[in-house]
Every structure is written in structure tokens, then in C-alpha cells.
Amino acid sequence: MTPASKKVRPIRRGRSDHQQPVSSNVDAPYITRKLPCYNLLEEEHLVRIEQHADRILCEFGIEIRGDTEALKLFKDAGAEVDGERLRFEPGLVKHLVQRSTPAEFTQLARNPKRSVRIGGANTLFAPAYGPPFVRTLDEGRRYGTIEDFANIVKLAYMHSSIHHSGGTVCEPCDIAVNKRHLDMVYTHMRYSDKPFMGSIITPQRARESIQMCRLLFGEEVVEKNCVILGNINVNSPLVYDGVVTSVIRTYAAAGQGIIICPFILGGAMGPVTPAASIAQAHAEAMVGMALTQLVRPGVPVIYGNFLTTMSLRSGAPTFGQPEAMLSYMVVGQLGRRLGVPFRCGGAFTSSKVGDAQAAQESAQSLLPALMAGSNFVLHAAGWLEGGLVAGYEKFIQDADRCAMMVKMFNGLNIDDNAFAIDAYRETEFGEHFLGSTHTMKNYADLHESTTADSKPYEQWLEEGESTEEQRANVIWKQKLKDYQLPKMDRSIDESLLAYMEKTKASRADQWY
Amino acid sequence: MTPASKKVRPIRRGRSDHQQPVSSNVDAPYITRKLPCYNLLEEEHLVRIEQHADRILCEFGIEIRGDTEALKLFKDAGAEVDGERLRFEPGLVKHLVQRSTPAEFTQLARNPKRSVRIGGANTLFAPAYGPPFVRTLDEGRRYGTIEDFANIVKLAYMHSSIHHSGGTVCEPCDIAVNKRHLDMVYTHMRYSDKPFMGSIITPQRARESIQMCRLLFGEEVVEKNCVILGNINVNSPLVYDGVVTSVIRTYAAAGQGIIICPFILGGAMGPVTPAASIAQAHAEAMVGMALTQLVRPGVPVIYGNFLTTMSLRSGAPTFGQPEAMLSYMVVGQLGRRLGVPFRCGGAFTSSKVGDAQAAQESAQSLLPALMAGSNFVLHAAGWLEGGLVAGYEKFIQDADRCAMMVKMFNGLNIDDNAFAIDAYRETEFGEHFLGSTHTMKNYADLHESTTADSKPYEQWLEEGESTEEQRANVIWKQKLKDYQLPKMDRSIDESLLAYMEKTKASRADQWY
């Protein structure tokens, strides 16, 4: 701004003069958040929830069904064991968790630039996990195949804001149930160079997933580092079946990380009031986390959370509702008090398509998770229909939101450049800053969505009145065309393929 | 939970036994938030922003163009006046705001149960303001009419989470420009009993809006209470034109509330870096707020904010992007430091339709605004296409989100009922809580969306594969069928109609 009597035109620079600063965090392998976590409850109320979790574990206890080894570990650690029922003195489970669980840890990727730091101020995004179906706008919904699986791995590999290749990005239903984990792990390894997850269906499949990592990373690296993650769900309320605890023990014994995730729809696997479900989930998660530390003290483990609601009309799960948002934020506080890495959130929705409902529920799942300090956001892209479906378009829509979260949680610059005092010197009162030197130097730092259409109405009309879902359809097809296979040492690839062949040959196909 | 050896079936009650607790806040005339505001920046950085705002006002100043009375008020209050340029010593404007601006105030509605408290821990939602166009799924986009205006007022009246009838909910383009404010104010008064806003286009139209309030509420009530609100935009950067300041003076002199809202797209009306635009907006808003207090100390005024970004590809405004979310949160902190009521947020989008883009951008505008402590959320329902369009379906979709925010910001119960200890006594390990007495007593408190479809896929297929926008289309039509006109004293109605007739007869139609 200059005195009104001396009108000065903004300086205009040619295109070649543009300096395009790159957002410092956009290509980072994960977010290191610059924004504080949101503290919803005060200390006093958090203590009440922790005390209630302790009360549940002391008064009612928790069951581990069909795993005498796990029961023995807990008995030796001071729990009261009555058949398959475990009871804990108040404070005991928390102590077992806290005495050796790392506050943060690194999961190695085969490309070291893609290794991720999990816990503390770090956050990463991983694709949806577990859908038996896939959906495209062209074909609608159908069963997933290994080709779909590879496609989603490729899309995750190509998107800079999807930091982790995930696990069962869709079920490859064209491969036998007892063999497909080999193909899934191989696909993550071969078609991406980001970190990934392994099978948790049986201890054998978990072991085989980890064995493939030994071929990829080398035995010594696997012994000393986390190179694969498992994610298990508790059989809420207050039960671990023995397969789950055996899988936990398998990952922990191998020094690999595992996410312990109670799965609670309020009113079904926990009481309908969020405070109770939060306390129950806290109790359940702590027991699973403690088990990992009893198996191998210091092994990485993640405090997982999946608390949501259900529809009174349909009995189906609902997502992004107020109760879930509140729960995320409180569970985040509990996780920080435990001092452990925390998984929550994702692009959840019960919608069948990538419509407004899907976007809204997903936004109200993703943003609160970040505010809550989630370190590991599984299901961050592609989730539709309560997790039954991996949507190709939804993946692209969600990945666009993940990029927004990367930008947002990278924080707000408060420095001399950000205050732009020179821009006022060259811009008139009431005039715009578009041509100012400062704008030209800094405009490339502005975030822009890849899927949104902000063009004028007339242009949008002419271009076919697209919805965002339709634009996402174009984007994923182009991305798959542009995909380039990351390099892999041929001998490693051959050893992986040979291991898979041998393992598959050792057993008959099972289809259920 | 009971010992595993004694299996007890959950108690099941008949439907007539259900006790349906009502969410305490759902039908409240506004939200009284139970959740803390989010503090993004630390004190030190907030002070830097405030100092930068002071620097702008001291070094460059601000212009008031064509309003000698406003200039004189500022001169008398200690500002340095040079032609139309005002400069302020650091701290002066803040002092002028803080010495008499109420921290909160009540806007009366003609139905006392609908009166709203603005500021402090209170938040209200009002419809989109200003769109010349409307859109329905049936007709697409077209110019708005007074019938559309009335329809939107009716929808806002009927939705318990839209607390305020708003202002120009769409432009009634079928009525002359210089007369339509009368019809708009009358429509708010007659078709709703919620609080509303008046014209700000010229001081005369502002006066006439307020005069109609005197007929509705009585002269004495209007003299002593806020019964109408204006919302003005600053001619950013750093200019108020004299029409705007005259309108500010008109509302303030009549003791009525006004929102002072800088309107900044980063890179256009302010620098492209958010910190600078935040500081500039803070400077601009404080000057307008100070003006109200110079006219009439103690008159209600709201610290407004409209900071967003623009597309580098199209030059159009963009919404719900990371920069806007960060800005809301910081401006909220600045507002709390000033100690004044704060307006920000809304269901913003540049999308043309109620698709995923619209929902996502709106969610990333609404939730951050609430986290930021917004007291007055204008544009909370119906906004499409950068504010050019009021969408009927979008209104219904957004109002559904507003209800979620009402529920969420009503907080989390942490009491004995919420902890549900008895539910564990009657529910088995690994079994569900659906039939428990506690669930039956509390399930009605679970939030459920009115527009989401969480039904099974097959049912959704059979019912026509609807998107949320299509379901919203059905809902608004039904609502308008169900609408019932609130009662109004016939003599008041007649006096309003007579005033309108007389005023309209006094001038020729103007159409631009």
C-alpha cells in the first residue's frame, strides 16, 4: 500500500520468473504434525475412564479362549486366572504395557526413503483393509481379485499422501483362502516399495508373511527391525479367541509390530453410551498390548481403536457420527497418557457409492482422527459400504483428502515471508494481490485439490456436468496407465516366487 | 458379564417398555458448547499476528471512502486522519473495540423460545446468505424468486438444528432490487418465528428493515434489544466504502447488531500466505467493530471472518482447503483474545451439485469452524458453487450435518449411566449388548442421520440405488408439504403489509 495519491501498478512477472516453493512435507514419507492434538476431556474425566477400565478388568475380567500359553504368560505376570478368565488388579495391565512398550518405532520399507516412523508426532495413511468386494463406476460392485489388489497397491504406491501400502487392500477372491496371503504379501513387496502389513488370519499365515520378509530384507534385518505389521481385532466384548492371541504372539516373538484393535459398535459389542465403550475398548486394547510385551519386551505395538455407532433403523454400522468423533478424541487422549502409538480413523462410510454421504462421513472420520493425534490411519482411502467394498473412485477421492491433511498438519508458517509486508508496499488499497511479487513467489504453496471442480458453472456444464466421483474415475484409470514398477533385485524376486510356489504346493486349496 | 459357568440371557423388553431419553440440547434454540475450543497457535505466535495487524494499521492504515461522519468519529477517538486514510497507533483500535463491546448478547426472536444468545460458549447455525440462483435436482439452476426465498425460510423454520432464519437466503430476483428487502424481511417475520437478518445494501434499506422490526416487536423493545442483525463485508484489502460504513452506523445507532466480515481470498484481497491474510482480516474487522462502538458504546457487534483460498487453475475461490481450516482456528483464537462474539464457517463449496466434493468441502468448513469456537455460523445450510447458488437438496444435506454438530458439541456424558456397569452384569462375554436394559434405556440418544443410507446393499439396490442428494430431494418436498405457518397477531401482520405497500408506492422499481 502506498499513499492514495501515488497509484502504483503491481509488478507483473513473466511465467519464467515464477519461483515455485515446494511444500516442505508433501513428499515426506509420513506427516510430522506441527499442530497440537485436541484435548476434549480434562484430566479428572480421563482418570475416571481409566478407573472404569480397571474396574471392568478387575470385576468382570476378560477371557482368552483356547490359548493356554497366553494365559500362562498373564498368570506369571500377576493376573488372576480362573479357567479362561483373567482378572487384573487395578493398574496392573497399564503397568505391563508401560514398562516396555516403545513410544514410537520405525517400520522399514524396502526403499529406505519410504520407511515410516510410527508414534509421537507422526501420522501416516494406509488404504482400506479387508473388503471382499471392489467397486468401479463402470462395473458397479463385484468380488475383488488379485488384479484389483495389485491395482490398489499401485494407486497407493503412486499417491504421495498414502504413506503405507496397507494389508488386505481387497480380498483376492480368485485365490484360495489358505494361499492368498502369499500373493498379497508378494504384491505389496513387488508392486510397491512402501511399508506393508501381513496376514493375521492364522498363526501359520502370520509366520509365512514374516518369512517372506526375511527373504526380502534378510534375516538379520528382520530380527532387529519392524518390517511388517499385523492388525488384529479383539472379539469384543471382553474376549480374545486363541487364534487372535496366537497371532499376536507370533508377530511379537518375531519382533514385528501389531495393532491391537477393539472393534466396537456402540450398543452391540459394547454399551450404547460412548463413555462405556471407550473404557471397555481401553481395557481390551491394554490386555492385547500387554501380551506383546510379555512375549518380547520392547516389541512395537499400536493402541488401536474402532469405535462407531449403529443405525437404529437398519441395525447396520454408521460412521462419522458425533459419538465416533467424540470417541476418537478421547481415545487419543488415553493413548497419549499411555505413551504408545495410536491408530484410529479412516475414510469410513456406510454409503454404497462415492456420493455426498460417503464424503461427509469420511471427512468426519478423517479430520477428527487427525485432531485426536492418530499416528496410524488405516482405511484412509477406498473404504465404502461399512468396509465391505474397496472403491476405486473412492480411493482417489480419499487420497485427495489425505493430501489436504498432510498440508494442514504441516502447520501454519508464521515468519516474515508469511507476513508479506512487502506485498502491501506494492499493492493498492482495495486492489488485488494477484500480481504482487509475494504472490508469485508463494502461490505454488497453496493447496489445490486434484478431484474438486472449482471452475465457473458454464465451463462445468460444457465439460459434461461431472460429479467428483466421475472425475475420480478418469484419474485412477490414468494413474494405472502411468504406473511404473519399482525396481527389485532379481534374486530376491526369484526367492520370493520360489517360496510361494513351494508353500502353495504343500497344501490343498481351501475356499472358505 | 457373569462368571462364564452361569450363562444368563439378556433381558429383552417389549417396545412399550422403551424409555426414550431425549438429547438435552437437540431442541435448544442454539448450541451451548460443552467441548473446549481448539488452540492451534501458542500465545507468542498470536501476539505476533496481533502486532502485525497493528503494524498494518499504523504503517499503511485503512481507508474509509466517502463517509466524513465515520472519519470524524475516528479522528475524535484518536486516529490520524489524512484525507480518507486512517492510521492508528498500535493498540488503539483494539482498545476502542474492547472498552465497550459486549462479550455476548441476545438477539430476540418473535417467539421468545427461539431467541438466541450470541457469543461465549454459544453457537448457532443460519442458512446460506446471498445466492442469486437456486438449484433443485428437478430443475437444475435458475434465478431465485420470492417463492424460493419463502421455501428456504420454511425449511430453516422446520429444522431444529438451524437456529436462525438468516438474511438473503436467496435473492428474490422477481422483485425490484430497491424493494425486495421489504419482502425478504417480511418473509422472515411471517413464515418463521426464528431470529433473522436485515438489508445492508444501502442505509435506507437498513433503516427500513429496522423500522419493520419496530412494527413487529414494538419501538421500546427495539430500542433496548437486538432484534435484527446486519452482515457487512469489508472492501478488502484495507478499504471500507462509505455505503458500508453508513450501514454499520445505521445498525449501531439503532442498537442493532452487525457482523463485520472481511472477505479475503488469499492471493486476491489479501496476500497468498495465510498468516498475512489473517492479520489483515484482524485489522480490518477491528476497525469496523470500533466504528460501531464509537457510534453507540455497548452495541452488539460480531467479529466476522471469511478467509479462503483460490484455485490456481481456474482463478475461482476454493473452500474447505487446509489454509482455510488453519485460518478459522487462528481467527477463533484472536476473537477469544478480543473477547467478542465470533462468526466463521459454513457449508462452503465450489461444487455445482450436492456431490462428494460439496459434502467434503462443507464438512471441512463446518467442523473446523466449530472447533474454532464459531458463535455464529452463517451459510450453514444450502450453499453451492461459491455462494452463487442456494441448493434445496444441499440445504437438507447440510442441515443434517448441523444436527451432528449440535449433538457433538453437546459433549460426552461421563456419569454412572454412561459407564453402564449394569449392562456388563447382564451381558455375556463375547455376546452383544443389543438386548440389555441399558441399551434399551439409552439407544434413542444415539445420533442418526436423516439423509444417510446405511441399509444393506441389496435393499439399497432394490430401493433404486439412491445417492444422498436424491434422498434429500424427497425430504425437502415432504417438509414443504408438512409446513405449518406460525401464528402472528393479525394487527401486526396488517401493519407490516401496510408499511411495505406504502414504502413500495413511494419509489419507482429499480432492477439493478
Side-chain angles (χ1 to χ4, degrees):
Chain A
M1 307 284 164
T2 53
S5 53
K6 290 189 269 170
K7 292 259 175 194
V8 175
R9 287 290 86 200
I11 297 162
R12 292 182 192 282
R13 287 179 162 210
R15 225 178 176 334
S16 59
D17 273 337
H18 290 183
Q19 292 178 35
Q20 303 199 8
V22 175
S23 274
S24 50
N25 209 0
V26 165
D27 287 307
Y30 50 88
I31 304 171
T32 301
R33 56 185 298 143
K34 309 289 188 305
L35 304 188
C37 297
Y38 179 64
N39 291 316
L40 189 144
L41 290 185
E42 290 172 12
E43 164 103 9
E44 167 199 354
H45 287 133
L46 295 168
V47 169
R48 278 207 67 190
I49 292 176
E50 288 169 342
Q51 287 170 340
H52 189 71
D54 267 348
R55 181 176 177 187
I56 290 172
L57 290 176
C58 182
E59 191 168 320
F60 303 107
I62 194 165
E63 291 189 358
I64 295 180
R65 295 179 177 169
D67 184 351
T68 50
E69 193 163 332
L71 289 168
K72 182 170 184 312
L73 285 167
F74 276 114
K75 186 169 186 179
D76 292 348
E80 179 194 321
V81 179
D82 174 15
E84 296 186 319
R85 180 80 55 90
L86 292 165
R87 286 193 180 80
F88 297 89
E89 285 300 306
L92 174 58
V93 178
K94 185 177 177 185
H95 168 71
L96 297 177
V97 172
Q98 288 191 316
R99 77 175 169 187
S100 57
T101 301
E104 46 184 279
F105 65 95
T106 297
Q107 182 186 357
L108 295 185
R110 72 174 171 104
N111 177 349
K113 290 180 189 164
R114 310 287 202 181
S115 295
V116 290
R117 190 81 185 148
I118 300 174
N122 309 302
T123 297
L124 66 81
F125 297 122
Y129 186 113
F133 299 102
V134 297
R135 180 185 156 84
T136 70
L137 207 47
D138 314 280
E139 299 177 281
R141 169 177 139 163
R142 58 173 173 73
Y143 279 105
T145 65
I146 191 67
E147 188 185 345
D148 294 310
F149 190 102
N151 284 340
I152 297 169
V153 167
K154 290 174 185 176
L155 292 174
Y157 169 67
M158 295 176 82
H159 206 294
S160 63
S161 299
I162 303 294
H163 308 105
H164 197 281
S165 198
T168 307
V169 295
C170 73
E171 283 286 347
C173 300
D174 50 344
I175 299 177
V177 166
N178 61 336
K179 297 179 178 177
R180 64 175 66 150
H181 61 289
L182 301 163
D183 296 86
M184 290 195 276
V185 169
Y186 176 76
T187 303
H188 282 300
M189 289 175 166
R190 186 67 197 92
Y191 291 93
S192 182
D193 63 5
K194 295 187 178 181
F196 57 86
M197 303 168 81
S199 178
I200 50 79
I201 306 294
T202 68
Q204 184 185 45
R205 292 180 207 164
R207 277 193 300 274
E208 289 169 0
S209 301
I210 296 166
Q211 184 55 33
M212 287 176 75
C213 291
R214 295 196 179 98
L215 300 175
L216 177 64
F217 289 96
E219 301 231 353
E220 199 178 343
V221 170
V222 174
E223 182 53 31
K224 291 185 179 165
N225 296 278
C226 174
V227 298
I228 189 168
L229 282 182
N231 180 86
I232 64 88
N233 286 132
V234 183
N235 311 85
S236 308
L238 298 176
V239 173
Y240 280 86
D241 75 39
V243 174
V244 168
T245 49
S246 301
V247 168
I248 293 173
R249 292 193 290 102
T250 301
Y251 273 85
Q256 301 308 306
I258 196 150
I259 304 166
I260 307 292
C261 193
F263 180 92
I264 300 178
L265 310 184
M269 301 81 132
V272 73
T273 42
S277 283
I278 291 168
Q280 177 189 319
H282 190 58
E284 291 174 347
M286 283 199 299
V287 170
M289 296 177 75
L291 177 58
T292 66
Q293 301 306 305
L294 296 178
V295 171
R296 181 162 164 167
V299 74
V301 62
I302 298 174
Y303 176 66
N305 172 258
F306 190 100
L307 281 172
T308 197
T309 43
M310 50 190 293
S311 165
L312 308 173
R313 290 179 290 189
S314 68
T318 53
F319 299 94
Q321 301 303 306
E323 293 85 353
M325 291 192 272
L326 294 168
S327 298
Y328 288 4
M329 290 163 171
V330 174
V331 176
Q333 292 183 276
L334 296 174
R336 286 194 290 286
R337 286 166 66 85
L338 267 184
V340 294
F342 169 47
R343 176 208 139 188
C344 96
F348 300 131
T349 182
S350 58
S351 181
K352 322 303 177 276
V353 293
D355 69 343
Q357 178 191 341
Q360 186 274 327
E361 292 174 350
S362 295
Q364 286 191 185
S365 302
L366 192 61
L367 182 55
L370 274 279
M371 300 295 289
S374 182
N375 300 119
F376 193 104
V377 183
L378 193 60
H379 310 301
W383 166 295
L384 280 176
E385 213 184 296
L388 284 177
V389 176
Y392 276 69
E393 289 80 19
K394 182 71 165 25
F395 188 98
I396 298 297
Q397 294 172 287
D398 291 336
D400 182 70
R401 282 47 152 161
C402 289
M404 293 183 193
M405 293 297 115
V406 170
K407 173 75 179 176
M408 178 173 178
F409 283 82
N410 202 17
L412 188 72
N413 275 336
I414 309 276
D415 56 19
D416 286 344
N417 177 61
F419 279 133
I421 202 77
D422 287 340
Y424 291 92
R425 298 208 170 95
E426 55 170 308
T427 305
E428 279 310 306
F429 283 73
E431 301 296 325
H432 61 64
F433 288 75
L434 290 172
S436 78
T437 313
H438 179 267
T439 302
M440 290 187 177
K441 269 190 186 160
N442 290 278
Y443 78 87
D445 201 43
L446 258 188
H447 187 77
E448 184 143 15
S449 163
T450 53
T451 57
D453 183 320
S454 59
K455 291 176 213 154
Y457 176 69
E458 292 72 17
Q459 191 179 348
W460 172 80
L461 265 188
E462 266 175 37
E463 292 177 3
E465 303 182 51
S466 65
T467 63
E468 192 195 52
E469 194 179 24
Q470 291 167 330
R471 295 189 292 275
N473 179 268
V474 175
I475 293 171
W476 70 254
K477 288 175 180 168
Q478 188 59 48
K479 282 212 174 250
L480 289 182
K481 274 185 199 153
D482 295 343
Y483 170 80
Q484 291 187 306
L485 189 70
K487 282 180 194 160
M488 178 182 266
D489 185 293
R490 182 181 293 189
S491 66
I492 289 177
D493 195 6
E494 285 169 356
S495 72
L496 288 167
L497 292 168
Y499 176 80
M500 286 170 66
E501 194 178 351
K502 187 187 74 178
T503 309
K504 285 185 174 185
S506 72
R507 63 187 70 135
D509 284 359
Q510 282 179 1
W511 286 98
Y512 51 87
Chain B
M1 305 285 162
T2 53
S5 52
K6 290 189 271 171
K7 291 259 176 194
V8 175
R9 286 290 86 199
I11 297 164
R12 292 182 193 280
R13 287 178 162 212
R15 222 176 177 338
S16 59
D17 273 337
H18 290 181
Q19 292 179 33
Q20 303 201 5
V22 174
S23 275
S24 51
N25 208 359
V26 165
D27 287 307
Y30 50 88
I31 304 171
T32 300
R33 56 186 297 145
K34 309 288 188 304
L35 304 188
C37 297
Y38 179 65
N39 290 317
L40 189 145
L41 290 185
E42 289 172 14
E43 164 103 10
E44 167 199 354
H45 288 132
L46 296 168
V47 169
R48 279 206 67 190
I49 291 176
E50 288 169 341
Q51 286 171 342
H52 189 71
D54 267 348
R55 181 176 178 188
I56 289 172
L57 291 176
C58 182
E59 191 167 321
F60 302 109
I62 192 165
E63 292 189 358
I64 295 181
R65 296 180 176 169
D67 183 351
T68 50
E69 193 162 332
L71 289 167
K72 181 169 185 313
L73 285 167
F74 277 114
K75 185 168 187 183
D76 293 348
E80 180 194 319
V81 179
D82 174 14
E84 297 187 319
R85 180 81 55 91
L86 292 166
R87 286 193 181 81
F88 297 88
E89 285 300 305
L92 174 58
V93 178
K94 185 178 178 185
H95 168 71
L96 297 177
V97 173
Q98 288 190 316
R99 77 175 167 188
S100 58
T101 302
E104 45 184 281
F105 65 97
T106 298
Q107 183 186 358
L108 295 185
R110 72 174 172 104
N111 176 350
K113 290 181 188 162
R114 310 288 202 181
S115 294
V116 290
R117 190 83 185 147
I118 300 174
N122 309 302
T123 297
L124 66 81
F125 297 121
Y129 186 113
F133 299 102
V134 297
R135 179 186 158 84
T136 69
L137 206 47
D138 314 279
E139 299 177 280
R141 168 176 141 165
R142 58 173 174 72
Y143 278 106
T145 65
I146 191 67
E147 189 185 344
D148 293 311
F149 190 101
N151 284 340
I152 297 169
V153 167
K154 290 174 185 176
L155 292 174
Y157 168 66
M158 295 176 81
H159 206 295
S160 63
S161 299
I162 303 294
H163 308 104
H164 197 281
S165 198
T168 306
V169 296
C170 71
E171 283 286 348
C173 300
D174 50 344
I175 300 178
V177 166
N178 61 337
K179 298 180 178 176
R180 65 175 66 148
H181 61 289
L182 301 163
D183 297 85
M184 289 195 276
V185 169
Y186 176 75
T187 303
H188 282 300
M189 290 175 166
R190 187 67 197 92
Y191 291 92
S192 182
D193 63 5
K194 296 186 178 181
F196 57 86
M197 303 169 81
S199 178
I200 50 81
I201 306 293
T202 68
Q204 185 186 43
R205 293 180 206 162
R207 277 193 299 274
E208 290 169 359
S209 300
I210 296 166
Q211 185 54 34
M212 288 177 74
C213 291
R214 295 196 179 97
L215 300 175
L216 178 65
F217 290 95
E219 301 233 349
E220 201 178 342
V221 170
V222 174
E223 183 53 32
K224 292 185 177 163
N225 296 278
C226 174
V227 298
I228 189 169
L229 282 182
N231 181 88
I232 63 89
N233 286 131
V234 184
N235 312 85
S236 310
L238 298 176
V239 173
Y240 279 86
D241 75 40
V243 174
V244 169
T245 50
S246 302
V247 168
I248 293 173
R249 291 191 293 102
T250 302
Y251 273 84
Q256 301 308 307
I258 196 151
I259 305 167
I260 307 291
C261 193
F263 181 92
I264 300 179
L265 310 184
M269 302 81 131
V272 72
T273 42
S277 284
I278 291 167
Q280 179 190 319
H282 189 59
E284 292 173 345
M286 284 199 299
V287 170
M289 297 178 74
L291 177 58
T292 65
Q293 300 307 305
L294 296 177
V295 171
R296 181 163 164 168
V299 73
V301 61
I302 298 174
Y303 176 66
N305 171 258
F306 191 99
L307 282 172
T308 196
T309 43
M310 51 190 296
S311 164
L312 308 172
R313 289 178 289 191
S314 68
T318 52
F319 298 94
Q321 301 303 307
E323 293 86 353
M325 292 193 272
L326 294 168
S327 298
Y328 288 3
M329 290 163 170
V330 173
V331 176
Q333 291 183 278
L334 296 173
R336 286 194 290 288
R337 286 167 66 86
L338 269 183
V340 294
F342 168 47
R343 177 209 139 186
C344 96
F348 301 131
T349 182
S350 57
S351 182
K352 322 304 177 279
V353 293
D355 68 343
Q357 178 189 343
Q360 187 274 326
E361 293 174 350
S362 295
Q364 286 192 183
S365 302
L366 192 61
L367 182 55
L370 274 279
M371 299 294 291
S374 183
N375 301 119
F376 193 103
V377 184
L378 194 60
H379 311 300
W383 167 295
L384 279 175
E385 214 184 293
L388 285 176
V389 177
Y392 277 69
E393 289 79 19
K394 182 70 165 25
F395 188 98
I396 298 297
Q397 294 173 288
D398 291 337
D400 182 70
R401 283 44 152 164
C402 290
M404 293 183 192
M405 293 297 114
V406 170
K407 173 75 179 174
M408 179 174 178
F409 283 82
N410 202 19
L412 187 71
N413 276 335
I414 308 277
D415 57 17
D416 286 345
N417 177 60
F419 280 133
I421 202 77
D422 287 340
Y424 290 93
R425 297 207 170 97
E426 55 170 309
T427 306
E428 280 308 307
F429 283 73
E431 301 296 326
H432 61 64
F433 288 75
L434 290 172
S436 78
T437 313
H438 178 267
T439 302
M440 289 187 176
K441 270 191 187 161
N442 291 278
Y443 79 86
D445 201 43
L446 257 187
H447 187 77
E448 183 142 15
S449 164
T450 53
T451 57
D453 183 320
S454 60
K455 291 176 215 153
Y457 176 69
E458 292 71 18
Q459 191 179 349
W460 171 80
L461 266 187
E462 266 174 36
E463 291 176 4
E465 305 184 49
S466 64
T467 63
E468 191 194 52
E469 194 179 23
Q470 291 167 330
R471 295 188 293 274
N473 179 268
V474 175
I475 293 172
W476 70 255
K477 288 175 181 167
Q478 188 59 48
K479 283 211 172 251
L480 290 182
K481 274 185 200 156
D482 295 343
Y483 171 79
Q484 290 186 305
L485 188 69
K487 282 180 194 159
M488 177 180 268
D489 185 290
R490 183 181 290 188
S491 67
I492 289 177
D493 195 6
E494 285 169 357
S495 72
L496 288 168
L497 291 168
Y499 176 79
M500 286 169 67
E501 196 179 346
K502 188 187 74 178
T503 308
K504 285 184 174 184
S506 71
R507 62 188 69 134
D509 285 359
Q510 284 179 0
W511 286 99
Y512 51 88

